[in-house]
């Protein structure tokens, strides 16, 4: 699924860390699709924290954020004639450095289902989900594994080369239904910065042109970054610098008009 199409649920275990959250949060659904429902509580729960010792990205201490995981569903119209489709719900805030367990579970699930059915999997990604599939197929998985278990990948409304709107979302601290520092720290938006090799001389400021690779320096000069932003950028920079990779299996791209 694309950004926000995976439900996120919060369980607060240290209420004192979240004074803006009123009531009990026990696997409570955090509504994403309502862009008018931007709250200080939601922003505080879904912020991103970087641990300098473990070098890991997580949500703040005192809250557990969960998803529905991998679920057998065929709700999409083009899948309703099938009985073997699965949705991969994931934490779209921490994608991809903070959801390595999701990739591990997905790989094991594909292996199990392929071995049971004797049919290779077809991966389908939509919007941010196409970036998810790019990372899973070219960074997380080996070409040998991919050719053994996956027949092809379908990219719907593909954003696997990034989008300029992500730069705007981060700079303005307004990303869909998150605002403030939580929006600026949303890792997935940094992952979705435009691909550096593809986008050169593409940003114009006062008649001067810059490359996509200059975006972070421009934001830093404008005081739009902090230590967490720097940690996120350093983590995803190799992904942004990479020439668009070929997964080595069949692919199809479907663009919306």
């Amino acid at each position: 699924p694309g950004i926000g199409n995976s439900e996120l649920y919060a369980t607060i275990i240290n209420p004192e860390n979240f004074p803006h959250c009123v009531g009990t949060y026990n696997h409570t659904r955090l509504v994403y699709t309502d862009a008018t429902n931007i709250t200080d509580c939601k922003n505080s729960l879904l912020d991103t924290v970087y641990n300098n010792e473990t070098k890991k990205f997580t949500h703040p201490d005192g809250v557990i954020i969960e998803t529905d995981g991998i679920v057998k569903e065929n709700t999409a119209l083009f899948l309703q004639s099938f009985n073997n489709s699965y949705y991969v719900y994931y934490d779209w805030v921490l994608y991809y450095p903070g959801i390595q367990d999701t990739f591990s579970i997905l790989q094991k699930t594909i292996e199990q289902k392929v071995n049971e059915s004797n049919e290779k999997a077809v991966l389908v990604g939509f919007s941010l989900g196409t970036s998810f599939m790019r990372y899973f197929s070219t960074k997380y998985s080996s070409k040998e594994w991919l050719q053994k278990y996956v027949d092809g990948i379908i990219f719907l409304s593909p954003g696997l080369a990034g989008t300029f709107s992500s730069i705007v979302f981060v700079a303005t601290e307004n990303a869909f239904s998150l605002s403030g520092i939580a929006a600026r720290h949303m890792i997935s938006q940094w992952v979705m910065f435009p691909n550096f090799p593809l986008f050169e001389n593409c940003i114009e400021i006062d008649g001067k042109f810059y490359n996509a690779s200059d975006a972070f320096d421009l934001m830093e000069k404008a005081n739009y970054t902090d230590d967490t932003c720097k940690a996120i950028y350093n983590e995803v920079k190799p992904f942004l610098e990479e020439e668009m990779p070929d997964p080595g299996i069949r692919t199809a791209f479907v663009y919306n008009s």
Side-chain angles (χ1 to χ4, degrees):
I3 189 168
N5 297 126
S6 295
E7 300 286 3
L8 299 182
Y9 306 90
T11 298
I12 297 179
I13 54 180
N14 290 327
E16 63 274 13
N17 292 356
F18 306 98
H20 298 295
C21 299
V22 179
T24 301
Y25 279 69
N26 185 10
H27 199 67
T28 301
R29 177 176 174 240
L30 302 175
V31 180
Y32 172 81
T33 52
D34 183 3
T36 64
N37 186 26
I38 299 176
T39 67
D40 290 336
C41 174
K42 187 193 302 183
N43 288 331
S44 64
L45 295 174
L46 293 181
D47 194 12
T48 299
V49 175
Y50 178 68
N51 188 310
N52 283 297
E53 294 183 1
T54 64
K55 308 300 181 184
K56 291 184 178 181
F57 295 91
T58 64
H59 291 294
D61 289 339
V63 65
I64 299 171
I65 302 296
E66 298 174 291
T67 71
D68 289 316
I70 299 177
V71 180
K72 188 174 184 180
E73 291 183 355
N74 60 347
T75 53
L77 289 176
F78 72 100
L79 294 174
Q80 289 183 355
S81 61
F82 296 91
N83 190 36
N84 61 351
S85 60
Y86 296 80
Y87 275 62
V88 183
Y89 295 108
Y90 60 99
D91 187 334
W92 36 265
V93 175
L94 298 181
Y95 164 76
Y96 59 84
I99 64 165
Q100 293 300 299
D101 287 348
T102 299
F103 297 118
S104 175
I105 294 170
L106 174 58
Q107 201 171 69
K108 292 174 183 176
T109 301
I110 291 174
E111 291 173 2
Q112 177 188 349
K113 300 305 177 183
V114 169
N115 290 333
E116 289 175 355
S117 65
N118 291 318
E119 292 181 324
K120 289 185 179 182
V122 175
L123 307 180
V124 182
F126 168 72
S127 190
L128 179 63
T130 62
S131 180
F132 180 109
M133 289 305 174
R134 172 192 163 188
Y135 179 85
F136 177 72
S137 63
T138 64
K139 306 298 288 184
Y140 189 85
S141 304
S142 68
K143 284 196 173 184
E144 293 74 20
W145 184 92
L146 206 65
Q147 291 170 354
K148 180 177 180 180
Y149 291 103
V150 179
D151 188 46
I153 308 174
I154 301 174
F155 298 97
L156 305 176
S157 299
L160 65 167
T163 170
F164 286 95
S165 59
S166 291
I167 298 177
V168 176
F169 293 151
V170 169
T172 61
E173 294 189 333
N174 190 349
F176 305 97
S177 70
L178 290 184
S179 64
I181 204 66
R184 183 158 290 174
H185 290 166
M186 191 188 297
I187 304 178
S188 61
Q189 293 310 297
W190 290 87
V191 176
M192 288 291 287
F193 272 30
N195 177 263
F196 291 174
L198 286 178
F199 295 97
E200 297 182 342
N201 296 316
C202 54
I203 302 173
E204 183 181 2
I205 302 176
D206 296 331
K208 184 177 180 179
F209 288 88
Y210 299 86
N211 300 329
S213 59
D214 296 319
F216 180 80
D217 290 339
L218 292 170
M219 291 174 61
E220 194 169 36
K221 289 178 182 177
N223 294 319
Y224 287 164
T225 64
D226 58 19
D227 288 343
T228 300
C229 293
K230 293 175 184 177
I232 293 171
Y233 181 71
N234 288 334
E235 179 70 26
V236 305
K237 186 179 179 182
F239 187 76
L240 300 174
E241 292 175 329
E242 180 185 47
E243 296 276 356
M244 292 302 296
D246 182 352
I249 58 175
R250 297 189 298 171
T251 56
F253 293 81
V254 180
Y255 288 86
N256 50 334
S257 59

